[in-house]
Amino acid sequence: MQNKKDLIRGYALFLIGLFIASMGVAFSTKAGLGTSPVASVPYSVSLVSKLLTFGGWLNLLSVIQIITQVAVLKGKCNYAEIAVQTVLAFVYGYLTNLSVWLIRGITVSGYPMQFVFMLLGCVILALGIWVQFKGGVAMLPGEAMNRAISKVTGRRYENIKILFDILYIALSAVICLVFLGKLQGVREGSIIAAFAVGSIIKVYNKLFDKLTERKGER
């Protein structure tokens, strides 16, 4: 069991990771080539309906993911963890709104610049997720839902994540085509992010391992 100091450090890292990840999502949306798969549905809906902000729709998706998680796990559900997930999910939604606001003055023109911003979004998002993992204290509802389904079905977590990423992208595409007549909330950037973010996280892990090995040799 973690002591109080480690717990505070873990949550501090997790919150820093949340903010970094929200900046990655903001850069992706600014690029206009489609955002990360899990954020693609809320972003697409925010383009269609102004009832809620992007972060607000992200919060609503988190609630759906939490309900799904509780339904899947049934009696085996850890309600204390669910409570923490709920709070952190809403924090993430508001941080996403803040991040979008912080870079509102940046103008992205031309496909090359869009592509650069999309890649920056992937790199920043991957860093945010990596920092969250290093915190080791919690998971956001989307990842926790994937973990719960993996646990109940016996299928690999990675395969469940890929399946839901594909579903998010497909649903976003349908929403955009039906209501906007074009692919806007989801495009090639969403597909690239689905494959690139995980690979970039692996690079961060390798770099971190090399740095800690060198530090240990001193």
Side-chain angles (χ1 to χ4, degrees):
M1 187 174 179
Q2 290 179 309
N3 59 43
K4 189 175 179 180
K5 186 177 179 180
D6 288 339
L7 203 61
I8 292 172
R9 175 183 172 276
Y11 274 105
L13 272 176
F14 190 86
L15 289 172
I16 291 169
L18 275 188
F19 177 67
I20 295 172
S22 72
M23 286 299 299
V25 171
F27 268 81
S28 296
T29 56
K30 176 65 74 171
L33 299 179
T35 187
S36 62
V38 71
S40 61
V41 174
Y43 182 60
S44 297
V45 176
S46 73
L47 296 175
V48 174
S49 172
K50 302 303 178 184
L51 183 64
L52 296 174
T53 61
F54 175 26
W57 289 114
L58 196 60
N59 288 340
L60 182 58
L61 176 62
S62 294
V63 170
I64 294 170
Q65 290 166 335
I66 288 170
I67 291 171
T68 302
Q69 187 181 164
V70 172
V72 168
L73 291 175
K74 297 178 181 178
K76 298 178 181 179
C77 187
N78 185 332
Y79 288 100
E81 184 180 349
I82 291 295
V84 171
Q85 282 180 36
T86 303
V87 173
L88 293 176
F90 276 82
V91 169
Y92 184 53
Y94 291 121
L95 284 176
T96 301
N97 279 342
L98 173 63
S99 297
V100 170
W101 181 82
L102 287 174
I103 64 170
R104 69 194 185 285
I106 299 175
T107 302
V108 179
S109 57
Y111 192 84
M113 194 172 180
Q114 285 181 291
F115 197 80
V116 168
F117 265 70
M118 183 271 295
L119 291 179
L120 275 173
C122 290
V123 171
I124 297 169
L125 176 60
L127 178 60
I129 294 171
W130 181 80
V131 173
Q132 289 174 48
F133 285 155
K134 286 300 174 185
V137 291
M139 296 179 80
L140 284 174
E143 301 305 327
M145 182 191 73
N146 294 339
R147 180 188 62 182
I149 294 172
S150 172
K151 183 179 179 180
V152 171
T153 62
R155 297 185 179 276
R156 290 179 62 86
Y157 168 83
E158 296 86 348
N159 294 335
I160 299 296
K161 179 175 174 55
I162 291 171
L163 173 63
F164 273 92
D165 282 350
I166 293 170
L167 287 174
Y168 292 139
I169 291 173
L171 182 56
S172 299
V174 171
I175 292 170
C176 289
L177 289 173
V178 170
F179 294 99
L180 302 174
K182 58 181 178 179
L183 291 175
Q184 190 170 341
V186 56
R187 282 181 55 182
E188 61 270 33
S190 302
I191 298 170
I192 292 171
F195 293 97
V197 172
S199 300
I200 296 170
I201 290 172
K202 290 179 182 178
V203 172
Y204 287 140
N205 279 325
K206 288 180 181 179
L207 289 173
F208 181 77
D209 289 342
K210 285 182 179 180
L211 287 172
T212 49
E213 283 176 9
R214 288 178 183 178
K215 189 176 180 180
E217 290 171 359
R218 291 178 184 177

